[in-house]
């Protein structure tokens, strides 16, 4: 189908409807059409994909949609994100730091975490994406292998977010807590929860997470320069 005859608002509404209905084949074309009209990747994400997924979330909560339908919507969203991926990850800047990121044990939600990963790549970070259902051992093995500046943990369930503390405690037990900056995020996570479990930062959304990561790297660089000068 051609979306040329729809105005921008109708195009976004169509995108949200098709995402809701899990019509995976249509979403990439709609995303491309919005981009062709001068919309930024962030505008397409917010106005089309995330807005559509928000409606899915409400109807999932209210028992109107069930897991199979939500999975189809998630797959449609991923198809749209694949179109945006090269735009979000393209970077002309030198590597600014390394981040290991994963969804914690017991949790298989990965859309938001992947978005954060893509936008960090776009900001010049090397991102090691561990995927879903990551236990503390998996994070530790990745830390040993990749020596990241930051680890990021995502949780979308109130039952899985406490696991972030398990990982932070493991960093402490291994004697490396002070060497690594820990950022956490995900819909049920709050600033207060992040602080209480001992994380260094709470990323409300992908854009904020990028800003936090960049600020941390600037501080780290500054401290290294000061130590060298002393
Ligand atoms: Co799930 N699910 N789900 N689900 N699911 C939620 C989270 C829920 C809120 C729905 C609801 O009831 N309204 C609810 C959780 C309730 C709670 O705990 N409070 C829920 C539930 C209950 C469940 C199951 C238990 C359902 C069941 O089986 N009965 C089950 C659990 C499975 C498991 O993990 N063990 C389940 C399963 C699924 C699907 C598999 C069907 C699917 C996931 C597919 C996938 O991810 N590949 C799914 C989906 C899609 C959702 C909703 C509808 C959408 C999540 C999403 O992708 N949002 C969700 C409802 C909702 O959140 N409104 C829901 C879009 C995404 C861009 O946003 O992930 O919030 P988000 O990410 C944002 C920020 O949070 C932040 O930046 C992102 C971008 O701006 N962020 C970070 C995320 N991670 C970050 C990490 C950072 C920093 C920022 O630092 C490292």
């Amino acid at each position: 189908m051609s979306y040329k005859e729809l105005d921008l608002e109708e195009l976004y509404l169509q995108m949200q409807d098709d995402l809701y209905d899990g019509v995976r084949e249509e979403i990439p074309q709609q995303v491309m059409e919005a981009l062709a009209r001068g919309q930024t990747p962030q505008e397409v994400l917010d106005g089309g994909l995330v807005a559509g997924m928000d409606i899915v979330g409400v109807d999932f909560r209210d028992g109107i949609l069930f897991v199979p339908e939500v999975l189809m919507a998630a797959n449609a969203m991923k198809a749209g994100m694949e179109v945006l991926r090269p735009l979000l990850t393209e970077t002309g800047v030198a590597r600014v730091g390394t981040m290991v990121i994963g969804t914690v044990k017991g949790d298989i939600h990965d859309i938001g975490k992947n978005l954060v990963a893509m936008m960090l790549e776009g900001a010049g970070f090397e991102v090691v994406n561990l995927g879903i259902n990551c236990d503390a051992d998996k994070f530790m093995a990745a830390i040993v292998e990749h020596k990241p500046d930051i680890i990021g943990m995502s949780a979308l369930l109130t039952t899985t977010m406490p696991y972030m503390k398990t990982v932070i405690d493991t960093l402490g037990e291994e004697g490396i807590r002070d060497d690594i900056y820990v950022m956490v995020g995900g819909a049920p996570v709050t600033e207060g929860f992040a602080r209480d479990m001992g994380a260094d930062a709470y990323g409300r959304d992908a854009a904020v997470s990028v800003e936090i990561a960049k600020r941390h790297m600037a501080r780290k660089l500054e401290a290294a320069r000061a130590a060298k000068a002393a």
Side-chain angles (χ1 to χ4, degrees):
M1 159 170 187
S2 166
Y3 295 102
K4 302 243 177 284
E5 64 275 16
L6 302 181
D7 68 29
L8 192 59
E9 195 185 340
E10 290 168 335
L11 179 65
Y12 277 139
L13 288 176
Q14 185 68 52
M15 208 184 290
Q16 292 167 21
D17 273 0
D18 284 347
L19 192 136
Y20 186 97
D21 293 334
V23 191
R24 187 190 163 97
E25 308 72 46
E26 298 296 319
I27 302 288
Q29 290 180 51
Q30 294 160 357
V31 168
M32 283 188 275
E33 177 64 26
L35 291 171
R37 294 187 194 192
Q39 294 286 288
T40 63
Q42 191 64 53
E43 284 167 339
V44 181
L45 265 175
D46 293 343
L49 301 179
V50 173
M53 194 48 97
D54 282 346
I55 305 168
V56 171
V58 170
D59 281 4
F60 190 25
R61 180 196 64 204
D62 295 345
I64 297 165
L65 291 180
F66 296 96
V67 169
E69 289 123 322
V70 179
L71 258 182
M72 285 173 72
N75 285 336
M77 171 134 189
K78 285 185 173 184
M81 279 165 62
E82 280 314 307
V83 178
L84 297 176
R85 178 188 288 277
L87 301 171
L88 293 172
T89 57
E90 77 186 8
T91 167
V93 291
R95 285 273 167 250
V96 288
T98 301
M99 179 159 181
V100 161
I101 190 168
T103 300
V104 295
K105 186 179 169 188
D107 202 318
I108 62 170
H109 295 85
D110 66 354
I111 294 174
K113 181 258 304 165
N114 289 345
L115 203 50
V116 174
M118 278 183 207
M119 290 188 62
L120 279 160
E121 281 179 28
F125 280 82
E126 182 176 342
V127 178
V128 181
N129 191 336
L130 301 181
I132 55 173
N133 196 21
C134 299
D135 63 13
D137 287 348
K138 191 163 186 179
F139 278 106
M140 292 311 138
I143 289 168
V144 170
E145 185 180 349
H146 301 284
K147 301 182 180 45
D149 304 285
I150 306 173
I151 70 160
M153 290 183 275
S154 179
L156 265 284
L157 300 172
T158 45
T159 48
T160 57
M161 57 183 202
Y163 193 79
M164 293 168 162
K165 184 169 182 326
T166 304
V167 178
I168 295 173
D169 289 347
T170 308
L171 290 173
E173 286 155 19
E174 296 294 324
I176 54 171
R177 175 65 190 91
D178 293 340
D179 304 338
I180 295 180
Y181 192 75
V182 179
M183 191 187 327
V184 295
V189 181
T190 61
E191 184 94 54
F193 185 82
R195 198 179 38 243
D196 290 349
M197 72 178 150
D200 295 304
Y202 160 64
R204 193 188 65 226
D205 59 31
V208 168
S209 304
V210 168
E211 284 316 307
I212 293 171
K214 287 200 313 202
R215 269 205 307 274
H216 169 67
M217 292 314 298
R219 278 196 305 268
K220 193 172 173 178
L221 196 65
E222 192 51 43
R225 279 201 191 114
K228 210 170 164 190

